[in-house]
Amino acid sequence: MEPFNSIANPLSSFFFICILLLLANAASGKTHHHDFVIQATPVKRLCKTHNTITVNGQFPGPTLEVNNGDTLVVKVVNRARYNVTIHWHGVRQMRTGWADGPEFITQCPIRPGKSYTYRFTIQGQEGTLWWHAHSSWLRATVYGALIIHPKDGGSYPFAKPKRETPILLGEWWDANPIDVIRQATRTGAAPNVSDAYTINGQPGDLYKCSSQDTTIVHVDSGETNLLRVINAALNQQLFFSVANHKLTVVGADASYVKSFTTSVLMLGPGQTTDVLIKADQQPAKYYMAARAYASAQGAPFDNTTTTAILEYKTASCSSNCAKTNAVFPSLPAYNDTVTATAFTTKFRSPRKVEVPKEIDENLFFTVGLGLDNCPRGASSSNCQGPNGTRFTASMNNVSFVLPSNFSLLQAHHQGIPGVFSTDFPAKPPVKFDYTGNVSRSLWQPIRGTKLYKLKYGARVQVVLQGTSIFTAENHPIHLHGYDFYIIAEGFGNFNPKRDATKFNIVDPPLRNTASVPVNGWAVIRFVADNPGVWLMHCHLDVHIGWGLAMAFLVENGISEVESLEAPPVDLPVC
């Protein structure tokens, strides 16, 4: 028999190459191309029309649907008058830090009239994530759902729901959100709270001029549907409930969880929760509702309630439902920390998981607010915080300052000196009673652009300790570029001897945003297997602006697949 000869058998060779290409394509998933045009669009809410910054004229923006393993290529064209970036919240961005999106961290902003194309692949994630602007307060209106289905031929670890509905919880100002934060930055005071919450962009029946546009979700009697709930609010944790219906939680932050049933959800900004809902009630209209979980004592907050309607599609309901009011759910009180905690501590991974046991980097980060003394020579109009101060916030007494001439990732990759330092403290510079009466001498942090360096592959534990400086509250802490295991949470000051016994290293939940309890702590673990510069910050946008953030610099590993990719040619310049 003659040996195979590709020249003698060009047709065989051609088919062989085609088969290889088909196999490679199947393994790598599909590529989805999208255009995002950032533009001002007239949007009417609460009786008034505002020139609102949107994507493609939509509010909320378009829902993107992909499969695990697919690649997204999104060209963002900025036709607005503000700088903008887009962050793909919760996407691991393995080696593609240039596509992560936080302004001045992984890229310079896209200037008005310019564009940038984000390219990244979804790897090993399934469930609900979202995307949003990561520049000033544009996130108030520039956001949308990112839904990741199982790979082709794959299935959910639960019975396939009849239909799926994204439920985006948002926050609306009857003003230009950029003006709101600019005024607060100028005065040093807290920004005005929002005027409404929204479900899929609509405030709902309890607000003026809103009931005709209330979001309606249709169901058929007996069917089970999947609600993909996203807290896209800027500054507020939210309770969410559906009248007379139980919610079975099956996923969070694009990871499956051991299912459990509840009547109420609590989501911090940035968090997502996938729930199954069975239409097993009398055919009628039932309110879905969300209102604030406001844990900061004495701090003003938007104390309104947004609603949508779950409506049964049956002949009996069609004729009767129009004449009857929707049933209203029972929501927890705004300060019900017991209910919030009972919910967040129920999460478990579906099975035993590989939690790092040996720890290379044992870090302790305090998170909380502070007050800056009025700068010498400043006008009292610029110091309208408590007792003539300016609000600030910090981690380990460092109030994070964004660079302005280069992004941190660019400065790291190109070795540009003077943009940042790598001396972020591994523990607070001063040990104190974090959740007790804190000495006024500790209320004023230092300002700086400090990173913490991690070797590739380092096994990391971070204790996130809330503080009661000025006021204690629940902080949703989000880490870019990583999922992490939340192995424990509790109240008071973390005590390693006492609290290590509570660590769950068997089946803790995998999340990208942890709700650090009011006057309490949470412990997270992850392996630093994604090189780049990764922001960790409070997802209450007012707090990140005040400096409640830091960043990890994760070094390259040995091989190319352990190293950051080269920057794209169209990376925006500062």
Side-chain angles (χ1 to χ4, degrees):
M1 188 177 182
E2 285 183 15
F4 175 80
N5 185 316
S6 62
I7 296 168
N9 299 279
L11 206 57
S12 304
S13 182
F14 174 76
F15 281 124
F16 181 68
I17 289 165
C18 284
I19 288 163
L20 282 179
L21 286 171
L22 281 170
L23 287 171
N25 239 8
S28 62
K30 299 186 186 114
T31 299
H32 304 260
H33 292 265
H34 295 276
D35 289 322
F36 275 15
V37 178
I38 312 290
Q39 61 190 48
T41 304
V43 175
K44 187 175 184 180
R45 296 291 185 274
L46 309 182
C47 316
K48 271 165 64 180
T49 300
H50 292 279
N51 235 4
T52 301
I53 306 302
T54 65
V55 171
N56 300 348
Q58 296 172 239
F59 171 67
T63 293
L64 304 185
E65 296 198 49
V66 298
N67 293 76
N68 180 4
D70 287 357
T71 295
L72 271 163
V73 179
V74 184
K75 182 178 182 181
V76 177
V77 178
N78 186 3
R79 291 199 183 133
R81 59 193 176 107
Y82 305 110
N83 293 337
V84 73
T85 65
I86 301 291
H87 170 52
W88 314 92
H89 186 109
V91 173
R92 283 293 317 268
Q93 298 289 2
M94 299 301 294
R95 303 178 55 231
T96 52
W98 306 105
D100 189 44
E103 182 179 63
F104 294 115
I105 304 294
T106 59
Q107 67 167 97
C108 297
I110 307 166
R111 304 289 183 190
K114 303 291 185 184
S115 67
Y116 177 49
T117 301
Y118 294 89
R119 298 173 179 84
F120 56 92
T121 300
I122 307 292
Q123 299 182 44
Q125 294 181 283
E126 291 178 17
T128 307
L129 295 175
W130 62 302
W131 56 265
H132 61 80
H134 211 299
S135 186
S136 185
W137 270 24
L138 288 183
R139 179 163 80 79
T141 55
V142 177
Y143 63 85
L146 172 54
I147 294 168
I148 308 167
H149 299 286
K151 289 187 175 182
D152 280 342
S155 61
Y156 298 128
F158 45 83
K160 188 169 170 56
K162 188 76 191 284
R163 67 185 92 192
E164 304 179 9
T165 310
I167 302 290
L168 290 106
L169 309 177
E171 209 171 357
W172 178 263
W173 275 260
D174 200 9
N176 179 349
I178 301 291
D179 291 344
V180 174
I181 187 58
R182 282 180 176 172
Q183 181 191 5
T185 303
R186 190 168 58 250
T187 64
N192 292 339
V193 299
S194 55
D195 298 288
Y197 299 114
T198 57
I199 296 178
N200 292 354
Q202 294 295 341
D205 289 358
L206 306 184
Y207 298 90
K208 60 186 179 179
C209 308
S210 300
S211 56
Q212 70 275 17
D213 296 311
T214 296
T215 298
I216 297 174
V217 177
H218 289 109
V219 292
D220 283 324
S221 280
E223 73 182 19
T224 297
N225 294 336
L226 180 66
L227 302 181
R228 299 176 176 274
V229 187
I230 299 165
N231 185 351
L234 218 67
N235 291 317
Q236 194 61 64
Q237 289 89 346
L238 293 166
F239 287 121
F240 174 83
S241 192
V242 183
N244 291 17
H245 289 73
K246 292 287 188 192
L247 304 172
T248 301
V249 178
V250 292
D253 292 359
S255 290
Y256 296 117
V257 300
K258 198 171 284 176
S259 66
F260 65 91
T261 302
T262 179
S263 59
V264 65
L265 313 179
M266 193 289 284
L267 296 90
Q271 293 182 322
T272 74
T273 307
D274 291 347
V275 297
L276 296 173
I277 182 168
K278 187 165 188 189
D280 56 4
Q281 297 299 302
Q282 186 73 23
K285 292 192 294 189
Y286 298 89
Y287 274 126
M288 301 174 167
R291 68 173 291 189
Y293 165 49
S295 58
Q297 215 170 349
F301 67 98
D302 178 353
N303 195 13
T304 62
T305 303
T306 180
T307 57
I309 293 172
L310 186 77
E311 186 172 315
Y312 281 63
K313 290 198 309 175
T314 62
S316 63
C317 188
S318 298
S319 54
N320 297 330
C321 287
K323 302 168 195 162
T324 56
N325 291 330
V327 182
F328 206 85
S330 171
L331 281 164
Y334 71 86
N335 58 356
D336 190 344
T337 291
V338 172
T339 295
T341 305
F343 177 72
T344 57
T345 52
K346 273 188 187 144
F347 285 84
R348 297 280 183 277
S349 283
R351 59 194 67 81
K352 193 174 187 300
V353 289
E354 290 298 315
V355 184
K357 307 278 195 308
E358 303 293 315
I359 298 299
D360 303 307
E361 295 277 3
N362 203 342
L363 308 174
F364 188 103
F365 292 174
T366 55
V367 298
L369 303 188
L371 297 173
D372 272 338
N373 294 330
C374 197
R376 189 173 296 169
S379 156
S380 59
S381 65
N382 301 125
C383 300
Q384 293 181 34
N387 302 317
T389 60
R390 293 178 59 83
F391 272 111
T392 185
S394 66
M395 298 177 77
N396 276 0
N397 204 45
V398 179
S399 188
F400 191 75
V401 178
L402 286 173
S404 56
N405 294 330
F406 301 95
S407 73
L408 294 176
L409 188 60
Q410 196 182 3
H412 160 59
H413 183 71
Q414 296 179 11
I416 300 165
V419 178
F420 64 83
S421 60
T422 54
D423 56 347
F424 186 86
K427 59 181 189 296
V430 177
K431 197 174 176 182
F432 58 98
D433 180 3
Y434 308 113
T435 55
N437 270 333
V438 183
S439 161
R440 288 291 179 107
S441 64
L442 296 167
W443 283 35
Q444 183 155 334
I446 61 161
R447 287 165 55 79
T449 310
K450 296 174 183 287
L451 278 54
Y452 192 90
K453 194 182 281 191
L454 294 171
K455 285 202 177 326
Y456 183 89
R459 295 158 298 185
V460 184
Q461 174 175 295
V462 186
V463 177
L464 297 163
Q465 173 69 62
T467 65
S468 57
I469 294 175
F470 187 68
T471 185
E473 65 183 293
N474 183 299
H475 294 279
I477 302 295
H478 171 49
L479 175 59
H480 289 231
Y482 287 88
D483 289 327
F484 49 74
Y485 291 109
I486 304 176
I487 61 169
E489 64 174 74
F491 291 97
N493 297 334
F494 176 76
N495 179 325
K497 285 185 183 144
R498 178 193 66 216
D499 294 325
T501 59
K502 302 172 189 169
F503 286 3
N504 174 9
I505 52 172
V506 178
D507 61 352
L510 190 64
R511 304 296 300 258
N512 63 53
T513 305
S515 288
V516 178
V518 55
N519 257 328
W521 49 269
V523 183
I524 67 171
R525 285 186 183 179
F526 64 96
V527 177
D529 59 358
N530 193 10
V533 175
W534 304 107
L535 186 64
M536 185 160 80
H537 66 95
C538 181
H539 220 276
L540 305 176
D541 264 33
V542 60
H543 288 182
I544 183 176
W546 286 341
L548 213 171
M550 59 81 62
F552 288 109
L553 193 168
V554 180
E555 296 178 315
N556 284 339
I558 297 164
S559 65
E560 188 183 349
V561 295
E562 295 176 349
S563 302
L564 178 70
E565 289 182 359
V569 291
D570 63 339
L571 188 72
V573 293
C574 285

